[in-house]
Amino acid sequence: MSPFKSSTGLPDNIAGALCYFFPFLGGVVFLALEKRSRFVLFHSLQSLITFGVLMILHVLTGLVPFLGPLMSALVSLCSFGVWLLMIYHALSGRWYKLPWAGDIAESQIRYL
């Protein structure tokens, strides 16, 4: 368990995991509530970026004729894998960065 607490009163690792546990919505809530923990801010931004893009991708693949449902199912399966991976790393207290979303999130927490 993380010895550090976020400004929400939760341990950092629990707050970080909740950013992913409720995809997109958890990121919005913790981005609005968190005032001091860079760990929680990083994970909330990464969650917003990642699951926002995955939602858009899921909708767009569903519009493709014939192969759309298959591509949409693959996006859903990948989304589930990313969801599990990120919850695991946040609960472990790791600053695990996804290849593109993590870099964007890391660059943005400097301005918060």
Side-chain angles (χ1 to χ4, degrees), residues 22-91:
F22 301 104
F24 198 76
L25 180 63
V28 169
V29 169
F30 279 97
L31 189 60
L33 295 177
E34 186 56 50
K35 303 296 181 230
R36 67 174 178 242
S37 173
R38 297 181 84 60
F39 180 80
V40 176
L41 287 171
F42 168 77
H43 283 293
S44 64
L45 280 171
Q46 185 168 250
S47 172
L48 275 172
I49 295 165
T50 302
F51 291 110
V53 169
L54 286 171
M55 281 192 285
I56 291 168
L57 190 61
H58 184 72
V59 169
L60 291 177
T61 57
L63 298 175
V64 176
F66 303 114
L67 291 177
L70 176 62
M71 292 180 348
S72 185
L74 288 174
V75 169
S76 294
L77 187 61
C78 288
S79 298
F80 182 69
V82 167
W83 181 73
L84 287 175
L85 178 74
M86 296 315 299
I87 289 174
Y88 170 74
H89 284 296
L91 279 174

